[in-house]
Amino acid sequence: MTDFTLGDKIPWVARLYLHHALKRERTGILFDADIREPPRSMSPKWSTVWIKEGKETLCAASKVQRFPKFVDLDPGEHKLEFIVTRKGRGGTSFTKEIEFQCGQIVVVLCEPIQPNVFYRKSSEVDSWRIGIVPN
């Protein structure tokens, strides 16, 4: 997991969601996962990316659910679990406590391991970038 700044590259659709959320002064998480596997792929190695708070799933992405998601959260402290699961291959997870101020947006970008994608080499580990957008 690495932190990022607003100067880092954010996918254009996620930037659009971020712009609308900032304009409406929303508080919460903007989540985007870079899953490059085709939706009709028959590979047994596909990944699903989740963000959970306790037992509640806040948002998820897979090869068939690729668009960014915005999840509204109440201001205050939230203990979030970031999870990548791979069919038949386990996965990775970590937990992070984040204090949300009113009008604050946390941007979460994930690129899971994609071993069956050839046109752009996948990283060796699941990569997460998490950053707080100043309000």
Side-chain angles (χ1 to χ4, degrees):
M1 181 199 73
T2 60
D3 292 331
F4 76 96
T5 62
L6 287 179
D8 288 350
K9 187 173 181 177
I10 298 175
W12 72 271
V13 177
R15 278 197 316 264
L16 186 65
Y17 278 65
L18 178 61
H19 172 75
H20 289 293
L22 287 170
K23 193 174 184 180
R24 290 172 178 76
E25 297 180 1
R26 294 170 71 183
T27 302
I29 298 172
L30 174 62
F31 168 67
D32 190 27
D34 182 15
I35 298 176
R36 299 186 309 263
E37 186 173 346
R40 295 185 184 188
S41 170
M42 297 302 286
S43 170
K45 303 174 184 174
W46 54 269
S47 299
T48 304
V49 183
W50 312 79
I51 299 178
K52 292 185 173 187
E53 183 174 24
K55 294 188 184 240
E56 180 185 357
T57 299
L58 298 177
C59 48
S62 68
K63 65 183 184 179
V64 294
Q65 301 172 319
R66 296 183 189 212
F67 287 102
K69 292 147 189 77
F70 190 89
V71 179
D72 288 306
L73 293 174
D74 295 328
E77 191 158 316
H78 294 270
K79 187 175 183 180
L80 304 175
E81 185 176 10
F82 302 88
I83 306 165
V84 176
T85 58
R86 273 176 278 295
K87 183 173 180 177
R89 297 186 157 238
T92 59
S93 70
F94 69 94
T95 304
K96 184 172 178 128
E97 289 191 24
I98 300 175
E99 176 83 31
F100 285 87
Q101 311 279 326
C102 189
Q104 187 177 56
I105 298 171
V106 173
V107 178
V108 178
L109 305 174
C110 178
E111 183 179 355
I113 298 171
Q114 300 174 61
N116 58 334
V117 176
F118 303 106
Y119 50 87
R120 188 174 96 203
K121 185 161 176 61
S122 176
S123 61
E124 299 293 322
V125 296
D126 299 321
S127 108
W128 291 86
R129 295 185 317 165
I130 300 174
I132 298 173
V133 177
N135 47 349

